[in-house]
Amino acid sequence: MSSTVVAGIGELVTCDGAGTDGLGARTGAAVVVEDGLVAWIGPQSAAPAADRRVDVGGRAVLPGFVDSHAHLVFAGDRGDEFAARMAGTPYDGGGIGVSVAATRAATDDELRALLAARVAEMRAQGTTTVEVKSGYGLTVEDEVRALRLAREVTQETTFLGAHVVPAEYAADRAAYLDLVTGPMLAAAAPYARWVDVFCEPHSAHAFTAEEARAVLVAGREAGLGLRVHGNQLGPGPGVQLAVELGAASVDHCTYLSGADVDALAAGTTVATLLPGVEFSTRSPYPDAAALLQAGVDIALATDCNPGTCYSSSMPFVIALAVREMGLTPGQAVYAATAGSARSLRRDDVGRLVVGARADLTVLDAPSHVHLSYRAGVPIARALDLRA
Ligand SMILES: [Zn+2]
């Protein structure tokens, strides 16, 4: 057993649910960490003795960000597609095929190195838990490879064979659906915690409500939890399908009807908002404040991917959610930590309470407000407590 007291904390944000905003923010507090877990939180003057002391010099400390939606196993570059989109070419999901071709052509070691670099980039910006999806392989072998590599960096791995229908199956979607719900799922399930589907009638490459239902039901029967990409490109069935099937999360939620909001408020599915996608595709931002008002549980994540949001930055996402989606700085921080942990059905991350993982993020700033107040400035990083 080795213990560390983290002292000199300016503002401690615990996201323990205390206070009207749930942030549990306090000053003058210290945190004692033992063997990677939070062992004690209280006034610094009352902190128990520890083997080691780390003084953060008046900086704010908060739970490490939980990025609950990311596509990190890919090769290739789509900067030209982004530039074309900014020049007026609309997004329809077709560019995913470019990443599929590059990913299939990459070696294991190349993909492993790309993945490691992206995870390190996230950690350097304060993210300590990340969900990683497959979905750029779209063959049995390539999907299993992506999940196997993802498992090397996180336990939150998601089988997304139903990302798009690959080009070689464009003339026979039913055959691809049989593959995704049959042999591909069977091979992928041992490496995955979740199954996900791009349910989007507005894209010819993605999946209809009926197809998405088949993917999710098969995934559930294989023992996986459910996640859905829904309502990204226009109004659609994804949100209500996710709620009906008890999915842990429905992600994007860019276009929501009143009935969608009512369904979310009545169900247990978290609405995961991805404002980096609206930014990178010049789409309208959903009204996150209205969702909170309606009683919907929300989360924030990056959707880091080579097409619609190649940003790994949770601070950027937080700033966008405050500026463009109506959240207060505190609401955005909560959604990016405890909220996104909830979307992963985790209670050991995303908040700092005794027994939780000691995933601490430190800001070169006195309070969490600076994450959105100082947008674009690299003030957040995961605190490394290893000796
Ligand atoms: Zn996504």
Side-chain angles (χ1 to χ4, degrees), residues 54-76:
V54 171
D55 193 307
V56 297
R59 292 175 175 81
V61 168
L62 59 162
F65 303 125
V66 177
D67 191 346
S68 54
H69 184 140
H71 306 247
L72 302 186
V73 189
F74 67 88

Side-chain angles (χ1 to χ4, degrees), residues 91-93 198 200 202-203 230-235 252 254-255 281 283 308:
Y91 174 77
D92 75 343
F198 185 15
E200 184 55 77
H202 299 275
S203 168
N231 298 50
Q232 177 187 355
L233 302 179
H252 286 290
T254 308
Y255 294 90
T281 58
S283 301
T308 54

Side-chain angles (χ1 to χ4, degrees), residues 69-71 133 136 160 163 196 229 232 251-252 274 277 303-305 308:
H69 184 140
H71 306 247
K133 302 176 194 296
Y136 295 112
L160 184 57
H163 198 186
D196 194 347
H229 283 67
Q232 177 187 355
D251 301 31
H252 286 290
L274 311 168
V277 176
D303 196 12
C304 182
N305 78 87
T308 54

Side-chain angles (χ1 to χ4, degrees), residues 284-316:
Y285 292 87
D287 187 343
L291 287 174
L292 284 182
Q293 191 69 33
V296 175
D297 285 328
I298 65 166
L300 287 169
T302 61
D303 196 12
C304 182
N305 78 87
T308 54
C309 180
Y310 196 5
S311 173
S312 58
S313 172
M314 288 296 280
F316 174 60

Side-chain angles (χ1 to χ4, degrees), residues 10-322:
E11 176 196 56
L12 178 68
V13 170
T14 60
C15 295
D16 65 359
T20 52
D21 53 10
L23 280 187
R26 66 202 75 179
T27 55
V31 178
V32 176
V33 174
E34 263 179 26
D35 295 328
L37 301 178
V38 175
W40 183 90
I41 294 175
Q44 182 174 315
S45 55
D51 302 326
R52 209 160 63 97
R53 177 186 170 92
V54 171
D55 193 307
V56 297
R59 292 175 175 81
V61 168
L62 59 162
F65 303 125
V66 177
D67 191 346
S68 54
H69 184 140
H71 306 247
L72 302 186
V73 189
F74 67 88
D77 182 81
R78 287 159 63 192
D80 291 348
E81 178 188 316
F82 176 78
R85 195 160 63 242
M86 292 303 106
T89 305
Y91 174 77
D92 75 343
I96 291 169
V98 174
S99 298
V100 169
T103 305
R104 286 177 180 172
T107 67
D108 286 17
D109 282 345
E110 286 165 348
L111 286 178
R112 185 179 282 117
L114 289 165
L115 176 60
R118 289 170 188 140
V119 171
E121 183 180 285
M122 289 177 152
R123 193 170 165 80
Q125 299 170 94
T127 298
T128 51
T129 300
V130 62
E131 180 256 22
V132 177
K133 302 176 194 296
S134 67
Y136 295 112
L138 309 186
T139 65
V140 173
E141 188 179 57
D142 288 305
E143 285 295 296
V144 168
R145 175 170 77 148
L147 289 165
R148 187 168 43 76
L149 293 171
R151 261 288 155 88
E152 295 176 3
V153 301
T154 184
Q155 68 189 84
E156 301 297 343
T157 53
T158 300
F159 170 50
L160 184 57
H163 198 186
V164 293
V165 176
E168 60 270 25
Y169 282 92
D172 192 356
R173 300 174 63 88
Y176 188 66
L177 204 66
D178 286 346
L179 179 65
V180 166
T181 57
M184 194 188 283
L185 171 64
Y191 302 95
R193 179 171 182 221
W194 306 97
V195 63
D196 194 347
V197 56
F198 185 15
C199 177
E200 184 55 77
H202 299 275
S203 168
H205 310 281
F207 297 85
T208 66
E210 292 67 35
E211 292 166 341
R213 178 187 294 276
V215 170
L216 294 169
V217 167
R220 185 166 61 189
E221 284 170 4
L224 305 182
L226 310 185
R227 319 185 73 77
V228 177
H229 283 67
N231 298 50
Q232 177 187 355
L233 302 179
V239 166
Q240 300 207 34
L241 180 66
V243 173
E244 179 200 327
L245 295 179
S249 184
V250 57
D251 301 31
H252 286 290
C253 300
T254 308
Y255 294 90
L256 294 177
S257 68
D260 293 332
V261 176
D262 291 345
L264 286 166
T268 58
T269 302
V270 174
T272 297
L273 309 176
L274 311 168
V277 176
E278 280 86 33
F279 174 87
S280 297
T281 58
R282 284 211 181 112
S283 301
Y285 292 87
D287 187 343
L291 287 174
L292 284 182
Q293 191 69 33
V296 175
D297 285 328
I298 65 166
L300 287 169
T302 61
D303 196 12
C304 182
N305 78 87
T308 54
C309 180
Y310 196 5
S311 173
S312 58
S313 172
M314 288 296 280
F316 174 60
V317 163
I318 288 168
L320 284 177
V322 171

